[in-house]
Amino acid sequence: KDEVIIPLLSEILPSAKEFKNAIASLSPEQQEFAKAFRAMQLESSVFGICVIPLKPQMENLLNLPEGALTKEIQLMQDLMSLFVEYQIPSDLLSFDGPKDIAAGDRVEAVKGHVSAVLQVIEGEKKKQLVEAKDRVKMAHSEQRINQGSAGSRAHRGRMHSEPMIQLMSSDFGEDEMFYSTAAFAMPSTEPSSAPIQKRDNAEVTQANFREDDDSEQGGTSNSDDFTFIPKVLDAKLEEQNEGALKSTIIKAGENWERLRKDNLLLPPKRSYLDSNAKKTEKNEAMDLLKAISRSGSLPIANSDLHIIISLSHCFHKNLMSTIIQDNINPIKQVEKSLLVVGSVIHSIAPPMLLSLEEGKKRETTKDAEILEATVA
């Protein structure tokens, strides 16, 4: 189990009132471009997190009943290894028997498929290990033959022409002679296991998912388009002349921190993920997503999509100056902002967000205008 800490960076956009005043002196074409650019900025202020539980999706993928993999820890680890590391298709592992088979028998059938694939992989590893040993032995034999032939030629040369050896020694220095001899040196003769070659189709996977996302967004209505909410909020704030509440873009930072335990005997180790490590982890996640969704043909029913729409209530001064110099209650201003945001998110009038007693109390104060506001 890894623990990853991802820093979040925020970028505050100008309020609707500030933006309107900034583009007032521009030409109509420039204003049109500025409005289109702001619309893209508002769309990018939506931050989404999708959580996919693996066990329910695995059960759906392998044609197993609900809860069949709850206590199958080793089987889950083997499945993850086969999907991520070796790119094994799910068709080779899923249960394809009759539907009236008991749940335990289905799990045993899947275990048999997994065991068979693992045996094939283990056999391939042994085969490659034998081939690696043969290559090392052959290279070592060639090295001894080359060294032996070079020694015999040098011996014959010394017997027939010693002046020639002196000439060669004067032409080539000791270092050059050493490097020419070292060119025949080979690596260690100890055999090393060669890993199975894995297919790297992360770029293809990412391209496929991007095409799927583009096709899905093309037919999405406004009711399901969460990027439409910041635009409605911006228009609502402009209507109420609210300049303190500003849309905020949330982005993931660069310095990702991971806490990982290499094995059960060692304590957790903290490390930072560079760009290459993040790319590797992302590719593995995309490969796993492709495997559990059958390249997009199997819907992911057991998932949670969390949408975060961030807004910042900004004050021109610090807390004490706002209270003493401007005579403003910041808590009251933030509550008004929450009512505006809640009314747009839930598509109801602001008074419906308050309790009966709180609504009556606010009707007699200066908050009556905010309670009378309706959703645009």
Side-chain angles (χ1 to χ4, degrees):
K1 182 180 179 181
D2 293 346
E3 179 181 348
V4 180
I5 300 176
I6 303 176
L8 298 180
L9 307 178
S10 61
E11 178 185 354
I12 300 177
L13 301 177
S15 63
K17 182 180 178 180
E18 294 173 347
F19 175 75
K20 186 176 181 180
N21 295 334
I23 66 172
S25 59
L26 300 179
S27 64
E29 291 78 8
Q30 293 173 343
Q31 289 186 6
E32 184 179 358
F33 172 79
K35 291 179 180 178
F37 186 78
R38 178 174 174 81
M40 290 189 294
Q41 285 183 319
L42 292 175
E43 290 179 356
S44 61
S45 65
V46 179
F47 187 80
I49 301 175
C50 184
V51 181
I52 302 176
L54 291 179
K55 286 185 179 180
Q57 186 63 24
M58 287 282 193
E59 292 168 354
N60 190 19
L61 175 69
L62 301 175
N63 297 325
L64 296 176
E66 183 179 357
L69 296 177
T70 302
K71 298 181 180 180
E72 300 293 339
I73 300 176
Q74 185 61 47
L75 180 58
M76 281 293 299
Q77 291 180 351
D78 293 340
L79 289 172
M80 293 282 291
S81 176
L82 293 177
F83 287 150
V84 177
E85 297 182 13
Y86 301 106
Q87 308 289 327
I88 302 299
S90 60
D91 297 340
L92 300 178
L93 306 174
S94 60
F95 175 76
D96 52 1
K99 295 183 179 180
D100 55 350
I101 301 297
D105 296 336
R106 292 190 180 190
V107 174
E108 292 298 327
V110 172
K111 286 183 178 180
H113 299 331
V114 172
S115 178
V117 175
L118 289 176
Q119 289 178 4
V120 173
I121 295 176
E122 191 65 26
E124 187 67 20
K125 287 182 179 180
K126 293 180 179 179
K127 179 181 177 182
Q128 292 187 3
L129 181 60
V130 171
E131 293 177 354
K133 290 181 179 179
D134 294 339
R135 286 195 297 268
V136 171
K137 291 180 180 179
M138 184 177 298
H140 187 63
S141 301
E142 291 178 356
Q143 176 189 4
R144 288 186 297 180
I145 294 173
N146 293 333
Q147 289 179 350
S149 60
S152 61
R153 287 197 300 269
H155 180 68
R156 290 195 299 269
R158 283 194 297 269
M159 287 176 20
H160 295 289
S161 179
E162 184 165 354
M164 181 65 69
I165 295 180
Q166 295 178 355
L167 178 61
M168 292 176 60
S169 300
S170 61
D171 292 339
F172 299 98
E174 293 182 358
D175 294 339
E176 294 177 354
M177 293 296 291
F178 171 77
Y179 289 126
S180 63
T181 305
F184 295 99
M186 299 298 294
S188 174
T189 57
E190 295 182 0
S192 59
S193 60
I196 294 181
Q197 296 180 354
K198 305 172 186 177
R199 296 184 293 111
D200 187 7
N201 60 349
E203 297 180 358
V204 179
T205 304
Q206 295 177 4
N208 292 338
F209 275 94
R210 289 195 190 98
E211 293 175 359
D212 296 341
D213 294 341
D214 296 339
S215 62
E216 291 177 2
Q217 291 178 0
T220 304
S221 61
N222 290 337
S223 60
D224 297 330
D225 189 1
F226 297 104
T227 60
F228 189 72
I229 297 178
K231 300 179 183 178
V232 178
L233 275 172
D234 195 61
K236 188 70 175 179
L237 297 176
E238 183 180 5
E239 176 187 346
Q240 296 187 2
N241 198 20
E242 180 64 51
L245 200 60
K246 302 179 181 180
S247 297
T248 304
I249 299 176
I250 300 178
K251 297 180 179 179
E254 295 294 332
N255 299 323
W256 292 21
E257 186 178 355
R258 179 176 63 189
L259 188 65
R260 167 173 289 183
K261 210 172 183 181
D262 294 334
N263 55 58
L264 298 177
L265 301 178
L266 296 178
K269 183 180 179 181
R270 192 177 301 272
S271 61
Y272 290 92
L273 301 179
D274 56 6
S275 58
N276 293 330
K278 287 187 287 187
K279 183 178 180 180
T280 301
E281 296 291 339
K282 181 180 178 181
N283 292 341
E284 291 182 358
M286 296 299 293
D287 290 340
L288 180 60
L289 181 60
K290 180 182 178 181
I292 64 177
S293 64
R294 291 178 184 167
S295 301
S297 61
L298 181 65
I300 301 178
N302 299 284
S303 61
D304 296 325
L305 179 61
H306 302 270
I307 300 297
I308 302 175
I309 299 176
S310 176
L311 293 99
S312 301
H313 194 113
C314 303
F315 295 92
H316 296 288
K317 301 178 181 179
N318 57 25
L319 179 61
M320 297 305 297
S321 299
T322 301
I323 298 174
I324 298 174
Q325 297 180 6
D326 297 341
N327 196 25
I328 294 177
N329 184 3
I331 297 178
K332 185 177 179 181
Q333 298 296 324
V334 173
E335 288 179 352
K336 288 183 179 180
S337 301
L338 291 176
L339 286 176
V340 175
V341 174
S343 65
V344 174
I345 296 295
H346 300 286
S347 300
I348 58 177
M352 302 297 294
L353 298 174
L354 301 174
S355 61
L356 183 60
E357 296 180 358
E358 186 69 18
K360 290 181 178 180
K361 183 170 64 176
R362 296 204 175 201
E363 287 178 356
T364 60
T365 62
K366 295 181 180 180
D367 297 340
E369 66 274 7
I370 191 65
L371 296 178
E372 295 176 357
T374 56
V375 179

